[in-house]
Amino acid sequence: MRPVLSPAEAGELDRASQARGIQAETLMENAGREVARAALEVAGGAYGTRAVVVCGKGNNGGDGLVAARYLSRWGARVTVLMLEVPEDLREPAATNFARLAETDVRVRPFSRSTLDRELARADVAVDAIFGTGFRGVPEDEWAEAIDGLNDGRAFHGVPVVAVDIPSGVNGSTGAVEGEAVWADVTVTFGAAKTGVVLLPGAERAGAVRVVDIGFPSDLVRSDLWLMEEEDVAALVPVRELETHKRATGVVLVVGGSRLMTGAVCLVAAAAYRVGAGLVQVAVPGSILPVVQSLVREATFVPLPETPEGTVAPEASEVLAERLPAADALALGPGMTTHEATAAWIRATVATSPVPVVLDADGLNAFTDRAPELAARRADLVLTPHAGEFARIAGVGAREIAADRLGHVRALAAETKATVLLKGTRTLVATPEGHVRVNPTGGPYLATGGTGDVLTGAIAGLLARGLAPVDAASVGAFVHGRAGALAAERTGEGTTAVDVLEHVAEALRRIRGA
């Protein structure tokens, strides 16, 4: 897994490195050189290349000044547009501004008309306006500079290389509240930054290149990590040659209601697809024939039901022997918000002797009841989308969107559970505050039933012995990869069944088999 740094962590890395004797001037020199190298790669070489570098203040602007010097030395024709008065620059940016006198770099104060004129004949632009510490809405000429870079990219085809993070993106959350640069490449130093990993900042960043500028590797510390394929491959369980179905994981799926029969079928099938040996499906008795016709491999348990066709509280007696014999419980899909059923769900989560994956109406049973989730016997994985998360946490959807990372950490700590917050950048948080970012998935998963496939995959992996955070992380990664494979064939018409049918292929590719 690759570490992802917050602005505060990035600042601490700078300070700790300097305490080790690595000069700020050295770090800036190395950073600017790598930005220049990326800019020439994007432009196709130095010969005949015109580059525009837009510089703000602080280290980000200083990195841009160094990049301009290297671009000029390597043969490009470079114009630097300064948003900051040179006399106000601090070290080491001030020294690097002075060193431009050693080159043929043209330096101009920023104006929108000058930027537009330079971009009309440029081959590449460098965004060195704001750094990772930016938050809020750019204003005045700073907003004009960002807008100008975007117009140059859109109307003149000028690729943009961002220094550390696209300007205007909140470095802590990835939020974009006003103007923000659309970069083709973002060169980031030492480790990726939160703002280029989380959406919408990740979309603005283009291709993210993490480069080494001299930070000691042992000082790169974070509790946010980006999952990679090799991480997943190392975690996926492998069956022993001599085994049997109960040794490879028993999953009990409890869900369904009279008007929602399909969800439990998707959960059960997905648990099998990730390698569970035996899946038992418990549903209200009246829908059992329908479910049996859709899932052939499972065994079945008819449950007592309410007059409305939902699971009744008496189900506890029926499951009293089944539940302790399982390795994981998937609970909630298709169960409705019937009051008696919701109360039964809450009691089951509290008393389950085996790890629980709680999804859909299982989550809705805890609307405004987040603290109750902490009082239980076994491990718990919560898998909410933004709406379900908002209902449990009692937080507005807009607040969650503005800081998904902060909110997922808070809910994991409050519930003492592993929390998976769904999205194109799914987050998996532990109660201790560690978070993993899943890079797979996309809009092809925005269709009914795909969440049930994810629930089944996580439950199957839990049953096979993975820790909750690992089961959730691997499940999300495989689920996203399966969705991408399905979308290659079906495009925008991808269904949950299409995703389900590609889970095994996704696993095979991840393992490299």
Side-chain angles (χ1 to χ4, degrees):
M1 286 180 282
R2 290 166 55 187
V4 180
L5 301 182
S6 68
E9 290 167 336
E12 178 56 33
L13 177 60
D14 263 341
R15 290 187 291 274
S17 297
Q18 290 174 47
R20 285 267 185 97
I22 300 170
Q23 299 297 314
E25 293 84 353
T26 301
L27 295 172
M28 185 172 287
E29 186 77 8
N30 293 341
R33 184 178 62 248
E34 293 300 326
V35 171
R37 181 174 287 118
L40 289 186
E41 288 179 13
V42 169
Y47 181 76
T49 292
R50 290 177 177 267
V52 180
V53 182
V54 185
C55 293
K57 55 187 177 180
N59 289 342
N60 197 260
D63 295 339
L65 295 170
V66 174
R69 170 160 45 87
Y70 274 97
L71 285 167
S72 178
R73 282 183 179 177
W74 293 339
R77 299 181 64 181
V78 185
T79 299
V80 169
L81 299 183
M82 296 294 299
L83 283 154
E84 182 81 349
V85 177
E87 291 75 18
D88 292 341
L89 292 174
R90 297 181 179 180
E91 294 296 346
T95 294
N96 283 304
F97 177 81
R99 292 192 65 185
L100 291 182
E102 306 167 6
T103 71
D104 294 329
V105 174
R106 296 187 305 154
V107 180
R108 301 284 187 271
F110 172 83
S111 73
R112 177 60 189 267
S113 60
T114 304
L115 176 60
D116 290 345
R117 184 171 61 252
E118 293 294 335
L119 287 172
R121 56 185 180 179
D123 301 292
V124 66
V126 174
D127 161 31
I129 301 171
F130 290 125
T132 58
F134 174 83
R135 61 183 62 192
V137 178
E139 298 177 343
D140 304 324
E141 66 269 20
W142 305 84
E144 287 185 21
I146 292 171
D147 186 61
L149 287 173
N150 288 340
D151 282 352
R153 183 175 182 269
F155 298 121
H156 300 294
V158 181
V160 177
V161 176
V163 176
D164 219 14
I165 190 169
S167 293
V169 173
N170 185 311
S172 297
T173 67
V176 175
E177 299 177 41
E179 295 284 351
V181 166
W182 287 93
D184 295 274
V185 175
T186 296
V187 181
T188 189
F189 313 124
K193 308 307 186 298
T194 309
V196 302
V197 170
L198 303 182
L199 288 171
E203 188 177 15
R204 300 293 181 118
V208 177
R209 298 187 185 181
V210 179
V211 298
D212 178 14
I213 63 169
F215 293 123
S217 58
D218 64 303
L219 296 181
V220 180
R221 299 166 185 160
S222 179
D223 53 14
L224 179 65
W225 299 85
L226 182 66
M227 292 289 293
E228 296 183 295
E229 189 163 300
E230 52 263 38
D231 305 316
V232 178
L235 288 170
V236 174
V238 177
R239 289 188 177 186
E240 297 180 2
L241 289 176
E242 182 67 27
T243 190
H244 56 86
K245 61 188 178 185
R246 289 190 177 274
T248 54
V250 178
V251 177
L252 177 61
V253 180
V254 180
S257 58
R258 187 174 298 159
L259 298 180
M260 289 185 279
T261 58
V264 290
C265 302
L266 292 167
V267 174
Y272 270 126
R273 296 292 177 137
V274 297
L278 179 63
V279 180
Q280 301 174 327
V281 179
V283 296
S286 63
I287 67 169
L288 184 59
V290 176
V291 175
Q292 286 176 314
S293 70
L294 295 172
V295 185
R296 291 169 294 181
E297 302 89 351
T299 60
F300 300 92
V301 183
L303 297 177
E305 58 189 277
T306 66
E308 293 79 13
T310 67
V311 174
E314 292 77 14
S316 295
E317 300 174 12
V318 178
L319 296 175
E321 294 183 5
R322 300 269 186 167
L323 188 52
D327 296 302
L329 168 65
L331 178 64
M335 295 188 75
T336 81
T337 56
H338 187 283
E339 184 176 349
T341 303
W344 179 82
I345 290 171
R346 292 192 291 271
T348 301
V349 170
T351 59
S352 174
V354 301
V356 179
V357 183
L358 194 65
D359 188 32
D361 289 321
L363 296 166
N364 290 331
F366 287 89
T367 295
D368 295 325
R369 293 172 175 263
E372 296 180 26
L373 286 161
R376 60 179 196 276
R377 293 175 57 189
D379 287 329
L380 176 64
V381 178
L382 308 178
T383 60
H385 56 56
E388 292 161 342
F389 190 103
R391 288 191 285 274
I392 295 173
V395 178
R398 288 187 179 181
E399 294 176 63
I400 295 169
D403 186 9
R404 297 175 76 240
L405 185 58
H407 285 294
V408 77
R409 279 188 170 127
L411 186 61
E414 182 178 18
T415 60
K416 297 182 174 58
T418 297
V419 179
L420 181 151
L421 176 55
K422 296 172 183 172
T424 299
R425 288 290 186 273
T426 289
L427 303 178
V428 180
T430 69
E432 296 77 26
H434 300 287
V435 181
R436 297 175 181 177
V437 182
N438 176 53
T440 68
Y444 34 78
L445 294 176
T447 185
T450 57
D452 302 315
V453 177
L454 176 59
T455 297
I458 296 171
L461 292 164
L462 270 177
R464 297 193 68 187
L466 291 190
V469 65
D470 292 334
S473 302
V474 173
F477 194 100
V478 172
H479 182 246
R481 183 61 59 80
L485 291 171
E488 289 177 6
R489 180 169 60 87
T490 59
E492 292 188 0
T494 301
T495 68
V497 171
D498 296 322
V499 177
L500 172 65
E501 290 176 348
H502 285 83
V503 168
E505 174 65 9
L507 273 171
R508 186 186 69 79
R509 294 193 183 194
I510 290 167
R511 283 171 165 164

